[in-house]
Amino acid sequence: WYPTVQTYSFRRTIAFWGAVMCCEGCLLFLWIDLLTMYAIGTPEMLYELTKVPNLVGGLFFLTGLYLSWFELINMDTEKLNANKLNYVWVSIQSLSDLGIERSSYVGSLTYLIGAVFFTLSQVSDFWELTPGVHSVLIDWPLI
């Protein structure tokens, strides 16, 4: 099985941008640790300088993980037409026929779902919530 030039370029581009997005997210998470470690700014500034980069870093990381999932679920496309691409789900049998192990797509999907819950908790942390809702939306996904 040898991919065409178009398929190879598509997969290479998706893999590149997925890696770039994950690296950008990690750098923004590192920014938060550096700010708290060196105690830069007032407590009011620290809230704004950590919450927004945390959300943006989480969104970058979520985008990178989605791109890796997107690349995996489109391994069965022979020709890269817009109407043939899978955006959310794919037949597991078609991936198995290509020799892709079950652990690959289960692991990738689990990682993506975890990133969705993490981003949900980051977005929810911007509002004052009741203790019950706070524990469900913010505390539980961060366990």
Side-chain angles (χ1 to χ4, degrees):
W1 177 79
Y2 294 100
T4 63
V5 173
Q6 182 183 10
T7 304
Y8 176 76
S9 297
F10 169 75
R11 291 190 183 132
R12 184 181 60 188
T13 302
I14 294 296
F16 172 78
W17 284 110
V20 166
M21 291 292 175
C22 287
C23 287
E24 289 290 331
C26 290
L27 287 174
L28 284 169
F29 291 149
L30 181 64
W31 165 265
I32 296 163
D33 290 335
L34 289 174
L35 281 177
T36 55
M37 186 170 72
Y38 291 113
I40 299 171
T42 64
E44 295 82 22
M45 283 178 56
L46 194 61
Y47 177 83
E48 294 299 326
L49 290 174
T50 57
K51 291 294 181 186
V52 175
N54 193 25
L55 174 63
V56 174
L59 289 173
F60 273 127
F61 202 69
L62 176 64
T63 304
L65 292 176
Y66 172 73
L67 288 175
S68 69
W69 171 251
F70 182 75
E71 181 185 10
L72 179 70
I73 64 175
N74 284 298
M75 294 294 280
D76 66 335
T77 55
E78 301 252 341
K79 296 177 183 173
L80 296 175
N81 297 328
N83 58 353
K84 294 189 116 194
L85 292 178
N86 303 308
Y87 292 100
V88 179
W89 201 250
V90 69
S91 168
I92 295 173
Q93 185 61 41
S94 63
L95 292 179
S96 296
D97 292 344
L98 291 173
I100 298 172
E101 298 283 329
R102 183 176 300 259
S103 61
S104 295
Y105 49 84
V106 168
S108 184
L109 181 61
T110 305
Y111 208 22
L112 180 64
I113 290 170
V116 167
F117 280 129
F118 183 73
T119 304
L120 175 68
S121 70
Q122 290 174 321
V123 171
S124 302
D125 198 21
F126 277 98
W127 292 279
E128 292 293 324
L129 303 171
T130 63
V133 174
H134 186 276
S135 67
V136 170
L137 289 179
I138 298 170
D139 295 335
W140 181 78
L142 296 179
I143 292 178

